[in-house]
Amino acid sequence: GAGVSQSPSNKVTEKGKDVELRCDPISGHTALYWYRQRLGQGLEFLIYFQGNSAPDKSGLPSDRFSAERTGESVSTLTIQRTQQEDSAVYLCASTLSVGGPRSGGELFFGEGSRLTVL
Amino acid sequence: AQSVTQPDIHITVSEGASLELRCNYSYGATPYLFWYVQSPGQGLQLLLKYFSGDTLVQGIKGFEAEFKRSQSSFNLRKPSVHWSDAAEYFCAVVGDSGYSTLTFGKGTMLLVSP
């Protein structure tokens, strides 16, 4: 597609439920990032995928969070047993550059998925 | 580890007035620095970036930023603000990890008054 697409745009769930958030990157972009943006906070890095390499999961806040990506296509971020502190906007970004921003590659962001945990 | 500080949470500027948004970074080596803008209901958009060379970089929408190593700063400026510039602005630095993740500041919300 023309840009990074994320779904759902809004999700309200009850504490303890599992949620899945989807990211469809720009076609051909090898790298994909997930960030979390909580109210009044900056963007927190969660996970990074680069082609078929092992993902960098160093930003995932707990084992309730996981993400998958098949090849260079869609990615899914899963949050199990959601807690109220998981309420945030989850942003996905993709880039063509193998080295990401350090190589001059611009990150293209989706509009985000707003998650509200009641 | 790298970090980014944006000391101003909110700034209000009159339309037509000049703007400066502050950004300070902490990073051991030569930093790779970015400014992104997030308009309401939209994703983040890259305004400009600094990697090396000329310390004054030009970006889109009439924005510029100056890298000052001695002050560990990368402030964003615009000579004349338009109402459409009202948005949240994020400064970011490339991280230490080999996978080149971005570390963002907490953002500065720009309000433009008539």
Side-chain angles (χ1 to χ4, degrees):
Chain A
V4 177
S5 178
Q6 292 188 246
S7 61
S9 55
N10 279 286
K11 175 72 176 179
V12 180
T13 190
E14 294 179 347
K15 178 181 173 181
K17 300 286 188 182
D18 296 352
V19 297
E20 283 191 355
L21 307 176
R22 175 188 169 105
C23 173
D24 201 341
I26 294 173
S27 178
H29 279 194
T30 59
L32 185 148
Y33 299 76
W34 282 99
Y35 280 85
R36 177 171 71 175
Q37 185 179 20
R38 288 191 280 195
L39 190 64
Q41 303 295 313
L43 279 72
E44 303 171 69
F45 165 73
L46 296 177
I47 188 169
Y48 165 80
F49 295 91
Q50 174 58 61
N52 293 317
S53 301
D56 176 357
K57 303 179 181 181
S58 61
L60 294 178
S62 77
D63 59 8
R64 296 187 294 105
F65 287 72
S66 63
E68 294 183 348
R69 187 185 188 197
T70 304
E72 296 179 357
S73 62
V74 170
S75 175
T76 302
L77 177 68
T78 301
I79 308 172
Q80 296 179 309
R81 305 180 302 281
T82 52
Q83 304 294 313
Q84 288 183 336
E85 62 262 29
D86 299 334
S87 296
V89 177
Y90 290 83
L91 291 166
C92 176
S94 70
T95 181
L96 181 61
S97 171
V98 172
R102 184 179 288 280
S103 311
E106 176 180 349
L107 266 61
F108 292 85
F109 284 83
E111 295 183 13
S113 293
R114 181 177 298 278
L115 174 65
T116 302
V117 182
L118 302 177
Chain B
Q2 69 287 343
S3 66
V4 176
T5 301
Q6 294 180 248
D8 303 307
I9 298 174
H10 296 97
I11 281 186
T12 300
V13 175
S14 298
E15 190 169 14
S18 64
L19 168 70
E20 183 168 29
L21 301 182
R22 296 184 289 166
C23 171
N24 293 96
Y25 67 89
S26 172
Y27 186 69
T30 299
Y32 291 65
L33 295 158
F34 304 78
W35 275 99
Y36 278 82
V37 60
Q38 186 178 35
S39 299
Q42 298 186 21
L44 276 78
Q45 181 183 22
L46 179 67
L47 283 176
L48 48 78
K49 60 188 176 185
Y50 170 79
F51 284 0
S52 64
D54 193 347
T55 56
L56 184 64
V57 293
Q58 303 297 320
I60 61 171
K61 304 184 179 185
F63 285 92
E64 67 178 26
E66 186 171 13
F67 170 62
K68 293 185 177 180
R69 184 187 298 276
S70 61
Q71 298 177 17
S72 298
S73 70
F74 188 56
N75 294 349
L76 182 71
R77 302 195 294 246
K78 187 170 184 178
S80 177
V81 168
H82 187 262
W83 64 267
S84 61
D85 293 325
E88 189 155 24
Y89 292 79
F90 293 91
C91 182
V93 63
V94 173
D96 288 328
S97 81
Y99 289 108
S100 301
T101 59
L102 282 173
T103 297
F104 286 85
K106 293 186 177 181
T108 297
M109 180 66 72
L110 172 64
L111 305 174
V112 180
S113 61

